[in-house]
Amino acid sequence: MTGKTLTTSSGPDEADETSPETIIQLAGEVSQIATEKTRVIAGITSRTKILALNAKIEAARAGDAGRSFGVVASEVQAISHQIEGVTQEFREQLVTSATRLKSLGEGLVSSMRGNRLADLALNMIDIIDRNLYERSCDVRWWATDSAVVDCLAGTDRGSGSGRSAFASKRLGVILSSYTVYLDLWIADATGRVVANGRPERYPGVVGTSVASQAWFKDALATRDGTEFTVADIARSDQLGGSAVAIYAAAVREGGEENGRPLGVLGIFFDWEAQARSVVNGIRLTADEQREGRTKCLILNAQHRIIAASDDRYILQGSYPLRTEGRDMGHYEADDGTIVAFALTPGYETYRGLGWYGVILQRTAEVEEEFNRRHKVRGR
């Protein structure tokens, strides 16, 4: 368990000349060239037929003297008809095949791109899961710390205020090493906060009641020291309005796994800073990064946007994700946006919160309209 920041690395750019899109473009060019050239051949054939017809007319006027020339003109006319038929057949077959190739290529590229984006979405939510798993380990471990237990048990560290001060100092030491947290709180069995790790930064915390908050009530009701609770992302007024994920575990008598609950330890994970490093660190290619048309989002179980590489998406509140019962996949939205998603897989004993990693790849037209409506350009 560490306090490391969530990060991902950048990937290599893809070469435009060898991309599947280039193959599709070439298929379209072949179809266009075939259409143009067969049109030219058809024009030449038409002129040849007219010349052959005129030659037959002149041969007929010449009588016996033009009979042999008339035979040649007839053959030229017949050949012209054959060329016309072959040209028409060639055009139909080649254009049909090129069109089919282009259609299949587009489908293949769409599938390849969608699968790649879905893999990136899975990677994104997996990084989140692994980090939040560490948070679940942290809270259960620190709930057994002697300073935390003594703060609530009143054993051998003097007065109640003295024990709280000692516990606050101990929590401060932890926070100096685990920079992913904004604060750590100790609440007694009634829900009154008796100590926090950063009293100078958040002076109004001690004395606050958290008795009505779900994370406190759920943690106090856990069966033993192996269990913990976690609250969905929310903004904390006591922590300056910061968005936090709150993990909590019961502090038990003697620090024992099956000890009587004395109160609750709540740890406040700095969600915004950590989530931003993930959604902005996904390994996008140069083409995917172009014009900021690829967006990385994290949705909670209710599809509320809780992190985004483009901050404007946070203002939308939620995203209309269509999973159709799938844990992972991709689809094309009505406006042409490719939507790739992956459900949290969990990590070891951490089952996850039903969150989704989502990556959107917009068309240039859709992105332009989005920018026009929101005025300020995003990532």
Side-chain angles (χ1 to χ4, degrees), residues 21 35 84 86 102 109 144 182 185 190 216 223 232 255 265 272 304 337 355 357 376:
E21 288 84 354
T35 300
E84 183 180 38
V86 171
K102 185 172 183 289
V109 168
T144 65
L182 290 176
W185 297 1
T190 68
F216 171 81
R223 293 172 298 181
D232 211 338
L265 172 68
E272 285 181 306
R304 179 169 64 91
T337 298
W355 294 356
V376 179

Side-chain angles (χ1 to χ4, degrees), residues 4 22 33 101 128 155 283 290 345 365 367 369 379:
K4 61 179 179 293
T22 302
I33 292 171
L101 176 62
I128 293 291
T155 54
R283 298 177 294 175
R290 189 167 297 143
E365 295 75 18
E367 182 64 16
E369 173 61 19
R379 176 186 172 206

Side-chain angles (χ1 to χ4, degrees), residues 43-59:
I44 295 172
T45 304
S46 178
R47 290 164 57 194
T48 303
K49 287 167 62 179
I50 293 173
L51 290 174
L53 179 60
N54 289 336
K56 287 178 67 177
I57 294 172
E58 293 302 322

Side-chain angles (χ1 to χ4, degrees), residues 70-302:
V71 173
V72 174
S74 295
E75 285 298 317
V76 171
Q77 189 176 43
I79 291 172
S80 296
H81 281 295
Q82 290 178 345
I83 293 174
E84 183 180 38
V86 171
T87 301
Q88 180 64 24
E89 184 179 355
F90 171 76
R91 179 170 58 191
E92 291 176 353
Q93 291 181 353
L94 183 58
V95 171
T96 298
S97 296
T99 301
R100 185 184 176 197
L101 176 62
K102 185 172 183 289
S103 177
L104 289 173
E106 288 175 342
L108 178 61
V109 168
S110 178
S111 178
M112 289 173 58
R113 181 185 292 122
N115 288 335
R116 167 178 159 72
L117 294 178
D119 285 341
L120 290 176
L122 177 62
N123 174 254
M124 180 167 60
I125 199 64
D126 184 57
I127 292 171
I128 293 291
D129 274 349
R130 287 170 180 264
N131 196 279
L132 296 185
Y133 163 73
E134 293 182 356
R135 312 293 65 92
S136 72
C137 295
D138 289 344
V139 72
R140 286 175 289 181
W141 174 27
W142 297 335
T144 65
D145 188 279
S146 61
V148 174
V149 175
D150 290 350
C151 176
L152 296 176
T155 54
D156 57 359
R157 292 196 183 272
S159 66
S161 60
R163 293 193 301 272
S164 294
F166 184 82
S168 178
K169 183 177 179 181
R170 171 62 180 153
L171 296 181
V173 171
I174 294 173
L175 286 170
S176 66
S177 298
Y178 289 76
T179 58
V180 296
Y181 296 106
L182 290 176
D183 205 2
L184 311 176
W185 297 1
I186 302 172
D188 63 21
T190 68
R192 185 176 65 89
V193 178
V194 297
N196 71 313
R198 288 190 170 129
E200 298 83 6
R201 183 184 300 182
Y202 307 113
V205 170
V206 173
T208 299
S209 175
V210 294
S212 63
Q213 296 190 26
W215 61 267
F216 171 81
K217 293 189 291 185
D218 292 344
L220 198 62
T222 53
R223 293 172 298 181
D224 55 48
T226 66
E227 296 186 341
F228 67 95
T229 63
V230 57
D232 211 338
I233 306 302
R235 295 196 175 276
S236 171
D237 293 335
Q238 292 92 344
L239 300 179
S242 298
V244 293
I246 307 173
Y247 282 74
V251 178
R252 297 179 179 276
E253 192 170 37
E256 297 293 332
E257 183 176 302
N258 295 305
R260 177 176 60 87
L262 303 175
V264 170
L265 172 68
I267 64 177
F268 294 78
F269 180 64
D270 186 2
W271 170 252
E272 285 181 306
Q274 305 308 315
R276 188 178 296 112
S277 71
V278 173
V279 296
N280 288 334
I282 294 301
R283 298 177 294 175
L284 301 176
T285 65
D287 182 63
E288 290 166 344
Q289 295 179 39
R290 189 167 297 143
E291 299 175 350
R293 292 189 283 118
T294 302
K295 316 292 184 180
C296 302
L297 315 177
I298 297 175
L299 313 184
N300 70 3
Q302 290 73 44

Side-chain angles (χ1 to χ4, degrees), residues 343-365:
L343 175 67
T344 171
Y347 183 70
E348 294 194 9
T349 59
Y350 180 71
R351 292 176 295 177
L353 299 173
W355 294 356
Y356 286 88
V358 176
I359 297 183
L360 310 178
Q361 196 164 90
R362 295 182 175 276
T363 64
E365 295 75 18

